[in-house]
Amino acid sequence: MNFEHSLVDRHRKTGAMLRELLENTPRYQRKWYRYAQRDRPPVNAMAVARMMSEQLILSGTFDYDQTPHSIKARVARALAGTVLTAKTLEEFIEAFEMTSEDAARLRFTLSPAPSVPDGISNTLRRKIELARVQTHRTVSLVERYRVDDEGRVTERHTYQTIRAVQDPVECYVFNHEPSAHRIEVFTGGTLGTRHAYGGGLFGTEIQLSHPLSRYQTAALEYRTVFDRISAPTAEVRRPAHGRAENVSLAVAFTGPRRPVTAWLCVWDDPLTENPVRQEALAVAGPRIDCFLPYIEETVVGLRWQYTDEGT
């Protein structure tokens, strides 16, 4: 596919998605509608520009070229889908305080199409004995990592929906890094037993708030906080034994250091160093992300490089 045509198509689709969210999602509509001067308009570029400009003033990041009239043209181009940069999209996401799910959809639509559109499966070269027999499947997985200015992964925030494939399902085992210092469960259950298994792997049980019968689902939200003494790293990984669908992975860099290159990586073992496959990803300012329709019997993750020498 011609790159320019692909870029035009991504801008058009992302603009249409953004417009639909602002027009039809009440929490977003309320933010710009009070700046509109007509009754029940479609999303109005000047109203959005006024709202975003005021948000910049409140956040303390306002600049002389960010008045409503200065940014109206950029807002209009974004909503029309003619020109929509990653930076402009991030400004919309921040100004409208978009949910992680909506933000992930917008970023994925704007990003270049992945070269692995059908998902990733069956790359593990050995059978791993799990801490518990897996009796669920994941129907949605959103993972957000934060990296500090010293290159340390400080936290991993997970939003996950699981479906029982037999009953009863009373707990979910979260497989995590050995450097996990603390796990906090916000929604869907309480923290349970920690396990070491598989010759160097770790997992912690999340006892579900309510046991699931077959085909029932549960929404989980939990956060992993890592040791501050852990060494800087340039990768994060997510193993999948049973099938996980609608997988969104992202890393946000909170300090001044920014990666210049990033890859989606696939491993054939959770403990091996080198991936068996990697695909270049677009780097959009202080974050990298990717979306996969599904993963199963594999280990996937993101790697990045801060300079052009070394990793």
Side-chain angles (χ1 to χ4, degrees):
M1 180 183 293
N2 179 275
F3 176 77
E4 291 300 328
H5 289 172
S6 173
L7 182 65
V8 168
D9 191 50
R10 285 186 280 121
H11 285 195
R12 178 181 59 78
K13 289 180 178 178
T14 310
M17 183 182 297
L18 181 62
R19 199 164 56 248
E20 191 274 335
L21 285 171
L22 300 192
E23 288 180 355
N24 300 314
T25 305
R27 61 178 289 175
Y28 306 145
Q29 186 188 66
R30 285 193 295 269
K31 284 182 173 292
W32 65 264
Y33 187 74
R34 64 192 181 96
Y35 295 91
Q37 297 177 342
R38 296 179 305 206
D39 290 334
R40 298 188 178 278
V43 62
N44 180 278
M46 178 53 81
V48 173
R50 289 193 181 104
M51 189 278 293
M52 293 178 69
S53 182
E54 184 172 296
Q55 289 292 105
L56 290 167
I57 294 173
L58 293 174
S59 68
T61 59
F62 181 81
D63 203 349
Y64 71 93
D65 63 347
Q66 293 170 327
T67 64
H69 287 283
S70 298
I71 65 175
K72 178 190 173 184
R74 182 155 51 90
V75 168
R77 290 193 295 267
L79 294 173
T82 54
V83 179
L84 178 51
T85 66
K87 180 177 182 296
T88 298
L89 179 60
E90 291 302 319
E91 290 173 350
F92 271 92
I93 290 169
E94 182 174 352
F96 282 91
E97 299 177 302
M98 291 188 170
T99 66
S100 58
E101 292 80 6
D102 289 339
R105 288 174 54 218
L106 287 164
R107 290 176 181 127
F108 174 68
T109 305
L110 185 61
S111 299
S115 55
V116 282
D118 296 325
I120 300 171
S121 63
N122 301 308
T123 69
L124 296 179
R125 56 181 169 81
R126 67 181 176 102
K127 182 173 179 58
I128 298 171
E129 294 297 329
L130 302 178
R132 274 178 172 262
V133 175
Q134 197 170 86
T135 54
H136 76 278
R137 297 294 180 266
T138 293
V139 297
S140 175
L141 176 65
V142 175
E143 293 223 301
R144 298 293 178 258
Y145 296 84
R146 294 175 70 85
V147 176
D148 66 14
D149 55 0
E150 295 181 340
R152 292 180 174 86
V153 177
T154 58
E155 68 176 58
R156 170 185 182 181
H157 205 124
T158 305
Y159 306 86
Q160 184 172 6
T161 301
I162 63 172
R163 176 182 291 122
V165 294
Q166 66 182 60
D167 53 49
V169 174
E170 298 178 330
C171 81
Y172 164 75
V173 178
F174 167 45
N175 300 300
H176 57 76
E177 300 83 349
S179 58
H181 173 66
R182 185 174 75 254
I183 299 169
E184 303 167 337
V185 181
F186 302 117
T187 303
T190 57
L191 210 58
T193 306
R194 180 181 171 107
H195 299 276
Y197 66 98
L201 304 176
F202 296 88
T204 298
E205 294 180 5
I206 297 176
Q207 297 293 328
L208 301 182
S209 300
H210 305 284
L212 300 180
S213 298
R214 191 176 185 186
Y215 302 128
Q216 287 186 322
T217 60
L220 303 173
E221 180 187 355
Y222 49 96
R223 183 176 71 143
T224 308
V225 179
F226 297 99
D227 282 328
R228 294 188 63 84
I229 61 173
S230 60
T233 184
E235 71 172 41
V236 294
R237 301 189 189 192
R238 177 76 194 205
H241 300 286
R243 190 178 182 93
E245 299 179 337
N246 302 305
V247 178
S248 172
L249 305 176
V251 180
F253 299 84
T254 60
R257 299 181 73 192
R258 298 287 188 268
V260 296
T261 313
W263 301 269
L264 167 66
C265 295
V266 183
W267 289 266
D268 61 4
D269 190 289
L271 301 175
T272 55
E273 171 67 20
N274 296 319
V276 295
R277 182 176 174 187
Q278 63 182 31
E279 304 285 345
L281 295 173
V283 178
R287 66 180 288 130
I288 53 176
D289 57 13
C290 76
F291 175 86
L292 292 166
Y294 67 85
I295 56 177
E296 184 174 8
E297 292 295 324
T298 188
V299 180
V300 301
L302 302 176
R303 272 190 171 183
W304 57 91
Q305 180 176 306
Y306 291 109
T307 67
D308 292 323
E309 301 98 30
T311 57

